[in-house]
């Protein structure tokens, strides 16, 4: 692909190109990874879930939003969408917490009572969970697997809720720490929560709920050691392929490490912090057994796309530091602050990291055809390391260097924009795979080419 040109000609070309821009072109390398698959296996975790067909890797669907309809129908709704999601290129779905919680049929699952009641025991006011029955859950998982779609469980380990009052010898008070689950598995008492004989507290508590103590050997056994414990039952009996760990700021990264090392499966933690260094520190605290949601990327996108300053995309993000451990997203059930969402999806689906689609964005709020197009581009074209080529208030251009690779051009201005950029392609015809531009320019022998983007839109270029 490389072709030498005379130095004098090269100088003239560069002078011409610089004359076509209002600002100096940038070429900022943000990743040194050169593999066509941005997700590489390591000795401590199972990243096979991210190696879907195509050089760009997989795409996750968050298959719920806050306060989905109650009544036990949600699993059936999701099962009816699996075929279409598979056709669109979704490779994994993330479910809400599947076990019975304190508020029974009304709970979103983040107040867990019985980890082994999937909607088949009469407790906390219902038999089914808000989302359905165990039978319906197993049917959903089986259907997803028939389409080679993996299923991730939302695991809440920090706290429990719905226990009975008991005298707590560690606090000298009455506490709601007496758990007698209808499933008959994983009974808990005051000695299994903080404070106890082993440790007074851990990294954090949430909402005043009893804070589960992972330092207690009995708790460790039931969570990840026992063959019939929570992790191994969810994986080997229920069929879950991976885990989204809730509120990991509340306990040490070693907890996730031990879970993954003993249970296996893909893992991503919700470490809610916009500081990329802290996100990477948490990933490292798990001995790199887990990915993390890239909140740093999320907040930079909000500043860039809603604040009309695309130079914010030059900022620090987890995917730039550690792309194989970054799970990128535009919205989720807890936070939905980005207004200019299509630009944000065009960003995460063309850059490194494991992108997540939010159910409501896909099924209700945005143009599904445009999202499907971006998913296809991610899986089939978006590979390799990344270079930021240009950024100002309303223009951003970046290049992916794998095969075949892309150049993405984001434009938030109210007019058409054009820009000369350096590609990885010499003397090749390229086109915009979004259909937003009908140009089909030929790159020069020195790999430079002029591309364009419509007002408040984006284009994504690759070889024909």
């Amino acid at each position: 692909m490389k072709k030498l040109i005379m130095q004098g000609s090269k100088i003239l070309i560069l002078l011409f190109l610089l004359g076509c821009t209002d600002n100096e072109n940038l070429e900022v390398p943000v990743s040194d990874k050169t593999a066509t698959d941005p997700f590489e296996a390591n000795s401590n975790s199972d990243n096979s879930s991210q190696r879907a067909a195509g050089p760009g890797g997989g795409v996750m669907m968050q298959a719920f939003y806050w306060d989905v309809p109650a009544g036990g129908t949600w699993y059936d709704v999701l099962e009816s969408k699996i075929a279409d999601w598979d056709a669109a290129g979704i490779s994994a779905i993330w479910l809400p917490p599947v076990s019975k919680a304190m508020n029974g049929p009304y709970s979103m699952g983040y107040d867990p009572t019985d980890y082994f009641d999937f909607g088949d025991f009469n407790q906390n006011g219902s038999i089914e969970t808000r989302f359905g029955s165990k039978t319906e859950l197993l049917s959903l998982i089986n259907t997803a697997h028939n389409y080679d779609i993996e299923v991730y469980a939302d695991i809440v380990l920090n706290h429990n809720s719905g226990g009975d009052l008991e005298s707590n010898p560690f606090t000298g008070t009455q506490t709601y720490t007496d758990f007698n689950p209808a499933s008959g598995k994983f009974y808990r008492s005051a000695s299994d929560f903080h404070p106890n004989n082993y440790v007074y507290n851990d990294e954090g508590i949430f909402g005043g709920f009893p804070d589960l103590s992972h330092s207690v050997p009995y708790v460790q056994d039931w969570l990840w050691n026992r063959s019939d414990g929570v992790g191994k039952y969810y994986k080997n009996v229920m069929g879950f392929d991976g885990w989204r760990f809730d509120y990991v700021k509340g306990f040490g990264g070693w907890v996730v490490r031990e879970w993954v090392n003993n249970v296996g499966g893909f893992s991503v933690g919700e470490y809610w912090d916009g500081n990329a260094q802290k996100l990477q520190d948490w990933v490292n605290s798990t001995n790199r057994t887990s990915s993390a949601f890239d909140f740093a990327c999320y907040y930079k996108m909000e500043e860039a796309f809603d604040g009309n300053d695309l130079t914010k995309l030059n900022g620090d993000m987890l995917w730039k530091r550690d792309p194989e451990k970054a799970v990128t997203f535009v919205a989720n059930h807890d936070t939905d602050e980005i207004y200019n969402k299509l630009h944000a999806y065009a960003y995460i689906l063309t850059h490194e990291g494991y992108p997540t689609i939010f159910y409501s964005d896909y099924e209700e709020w945005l143009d599904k055809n445009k999202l499907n197009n971006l998913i296809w581009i991610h899986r089939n074209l978006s590979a390799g390391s990344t270079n930021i080529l240009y950024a100002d208030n309303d223009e951003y251009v970046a290049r992916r260097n794998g095969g075949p690779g892309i150049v993405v051009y984001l434009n938030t201005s109210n007019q058409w924009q054009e820009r000369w950029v350096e590609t990885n392609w010499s003397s090749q015809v390229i086109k915009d795979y979004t259909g937003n531009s009908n140009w089909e320019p030929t790159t020069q022998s020195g790999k430079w080419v002029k591309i364009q983007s419509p007002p408040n839109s984006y284009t994504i270029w690759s070889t024909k």
Side-chain angles (χ1 to χ4, degrees):
M1 298 277 293
K2 292 184 178 178
K3 187 174 181 181
L4 297 176
I5 61 174
M6 295 178 60
Q7 186 68 25
S9 299
K10 187 173 183 179
I11 293 172
L12 289 174
I13 292 171
L14 288 173
L15 288 172
F16 171 75
L17 295 175
L18 290 172
C20 294
T21 65
D22 296 326
N23 296 283
E24 186 177 6
N25 279 286
L26 303 174
E27 185 161 346
V28 183
V30 293
S31 170
D32 294 329
K33 292 179 68 64
T34 57
T36 56
D37 186 344
F39 304 106
E40 295 178 351
N42 63 66
S43 59
N44 297 314
S45 63
D46 178 4
N47 285 329
S48 61
S49 59
Q50 297 176 344
R51 293 195 201 91
V59 178
M60 185 196 312
M61 173 71 74
Q62 180 178 354
F64 66 100
Y65 54 92
W66 196 258
D67 282 347
V68 299
T73 62
W74 191 246
Y75 293 144
D76 293 335
V77 170
L78 297 182
E79 187 170 2
S80 72
K81 297 182 181 297
I82 292 295
D84 287 342
W85 288 354
D86 173 69
I90 299 300
S91 57
I93 60 172
W94 154 27
L95 299 185
V98 295
S99 63
K100 188 68 63 65
M102 182 177 70
N103 287 323
Y106 307 106
S107 176
M108 286 297 295
Y110 292 95
D111 49 345
T113 298
D114 186 345
Y115 287 103
F116 294 91
D117 181 358
F118 304 97
D120 48 341
F121 293 98
N122 189 358
Q123 66 179 329
N124 294 0
S126 69
I127 295 177
E128 292 190 347
T129 68
R130 183 188 190 104
F131 315 112
S133 68
K134 180 178 181 180
T135 299
E136 291 162 342
L137 172 59
L138 289 170
S139 178
L140 167 60
I141 294 171
N142 183 63
T143 297
H145 286 167
N146 287 340
Y147 283 92
D148 292 325
I149 292 177
E150 295 197 331
V151 185
Y152 303 154
D154 200 318
I155 303 294
V156 184
L157 298 183
N158 179 74
H159 54 272
N160 292 166
S161 186
D164 296 323
L165 272 175
E166 64 175 341
S167 296
N168 190 325
F170 306 103
T171 64
T173 63
Q174 296 276 307
T175 57
Y176 289 96
T177 49
D178 183 19
F179 286 80
N180 297 278
S183 67
K185 295 183 177 183
F186 196 13
Y187 291 91
R188 280 144 284 156
S189 65
S191 60
D192 301 314
F193 298 89
H194 296 117
N196 55 57
N197 282 329
Y198 291 90
V199 64
Y200 186 83
N201 63 281
D202 62 2
E203 282 75 5
I205 60 174
F206 181 82
F209 294 125
D211 194 49
L212 192 62
S213 179
H214 312 99
S215 298
V216 178
Y218 172 80
V219 173
Q220 295 177 10
D221 284 344
W222 271 108
L223 289 182
W224 59 73
N225 284 329
R226 293 174 59 128
S227 61
D228 61 344
V230 178
K232 292 175 183 176
Y233 191 93
Y234 277 47
K235 187 174 188 291
N236 300 328
V237 178
M238 299 301 292
F240 284 103
D241 307 288
W243 328 103
R244 179 267 185 187
F245 288 101
D246 181 64
Y247 188 57
V248 297
K249 277 190 173 182
F251 48 90
W254 67 269
V255 174
V256 172
R257 179 197 70 211
E258 290 301 306
W259 178 293
V260 176
N261 283 342
N262 283 277
V263 178
F266 169 78
S267 169
V268 58
E270 182 213 26
Y271 194 92
W272 195 332
D273 201 296
N275 186 306
Q277 179 66 62
K278 291 183 178 180
L279 296 175
Q280 187 170 43
D281 289 345
W282 182 82
V283 168
N284 292 337
S285 76
T286 73
N287 201 24
R288 297 184 55 75
T289 60
S290 184
S291 300
F293 284 106
D294 195 346
F295 280 92
C297 175
Y298 174 78
Y299 287 115
K300 289 300 180 185
M301 289 194 298
E302 181 188 17
E303 292 180 57
F305 298 124
D306 293 349
N308 196 35
D309 183 4
L310 301 193
T311 65
K312 297 296 185 181
L313 299 177
N314 290 324
D316 197 10
M317 306 176 193
L318 180 60
W319 75 257
K320 297 180 181 183
R321 292 169 169 261
D322 201 349
E324 72 179 53
K325 294 300 182 182
V327 176
T328 53
F329 66 101
V330 173
N332 63 31
H333 63 292
D334 282 327
T335 183
D336 190 0
E337 299 178 14
I338 296 175
Y339 176 77
N340 195 340
K341 285 187 171 182
L342 270 178
H343 276 97
Y345 277 112
Y347 182 83
I348 69 168
L349 286 161
T350 55
H351 287 63
E352 290 164 87
Y354 185 10
T356 306
I357 309 293
F358 184 44
Y359 179 95
S360 299
D361 289 341
Y362 187 83
E363 292 292 344
E364 299 174 9
W365 296 336
L366 300 182
D367 187 324
K368 187 180 294 187
N369 291 327
K370 290 183 178 180
L371 289 176
N372 286 343
N373 169 251
L374 290 170
I375 293 169
W376 185 93
I377 288 170
H378 168 80
R379 290 180 54 132
N380 292 278
L381 302 176
S382 305
S385 61
T386 304
N387 287 80
I388 299 174
L389 304 181
Y390 182 83
D392 65 16
N393 284 346
D394 51 23
E395 292 178 80
Y396 172 88
V397 187
R399 182 180 70 223
R400 295 291 298 277
N401 297 311
I406 59 170
V407 173
V408 55
Y409 191 173
L410 307 179
N411 175 19
T412 59
S413 75
N414 292 320
Q415 60 187 8
W416 280 85
Q417 300 281 11
E418 298 176 358
R419 191 157 296 280
W420 283 90
V421 297
E422 186 177 18
T423 73
N424 288 323
W425 313 299
S426 179
S427 304
Q428 293 194 50
V429 178
I430 65 171
K431 73 172 187 177
D432 166 34
Y433 276 81
T434 71
N436 292 330
S437 169
N438 59 10
W439 275 13
E440 292 191 0
T442 300
T443 61
Q444 297 177 347
S445 59
K447 301 180 182 178
W448 288 80
V449 71
K450 182 190 280 189
I451 57 175
Q452 64 174 193
S453 182
N456 294 304
S457 190
Y458 53 86
T459 50
I460 302 168
W461 305 82
S462 190
T463 54
K464 290 188 65 178

